Amino acid sequence: MSDSTEPLTLDRLIQDVADVLYAEPADISPDEDLLDQGLDSIRLMTLVERWRAEGARISFVDLAERPTLREWAALLSPTT
């Protein structure tokens, strides 16, 4: 499982999605719809709760409406 102090970068998101899908990170495409890669609503909620616990301000709907990791990375990247 990922280190909880690690920022929510694209690589971190790929690792976390791979964890909940029991897949290898290399098998997760950052540009493909995650539903097509096996992500379901229960696993998505698991990710939302994990990232919220680390301080991310994100909702299930935010992620469900943008089902690729690249879109998630843009949503979760810190604004400067």
Side-chain angles (χ1 to χ4, degrees), residues 14-36:
I14 290 170
Q15 180 62 56
D16 286 352
V17 169
D19 286 348
V20 299
L21 293 179
Y22 302 103
E24 291 298 318
D27 295 336
I28 305 298
S29 169
D31 298 306
E32 187 178 333
D33 187 316
L34 289 164
L35 299 174
D36 294 339

Side-chain angles (χ1 to χ4, degrees), residues 2-63:
S2 299
D3 180 354
S4 65
T5 61
E6 187 180 338
L8 294 173
T9 62
L10 180 59
D11 288 340
R12 164 75 190 282
L13 298 179
I14 290 170
Q15 180 62 56
D16 286 352
V17 169
D19 286 348
V20 299
L21 293 179
Y22 302 103
E24 291 298 318
D27 295 336
I28 305 298
S29 169
D31 298 306
E32 187 178 333
D33 187 316
L34 289 164
L35 299 174
D36 294 339
Q37 296 183 75
L39 190 69
D40 58 25
S41 61
I42 301 298
R43 290 179 176 127
L44 177 55
M45 198 64 217
T46 299
L47 292 169
V48 168
E49 291 304 318
R50 178 186 299 179
W51 297 333
R52 279 184 183 162
E54 296 176 28
R57 294 178 171 218
I58 200 73
S59 74
F60 177 90
V61 173
D62 291 333
L63 299 182

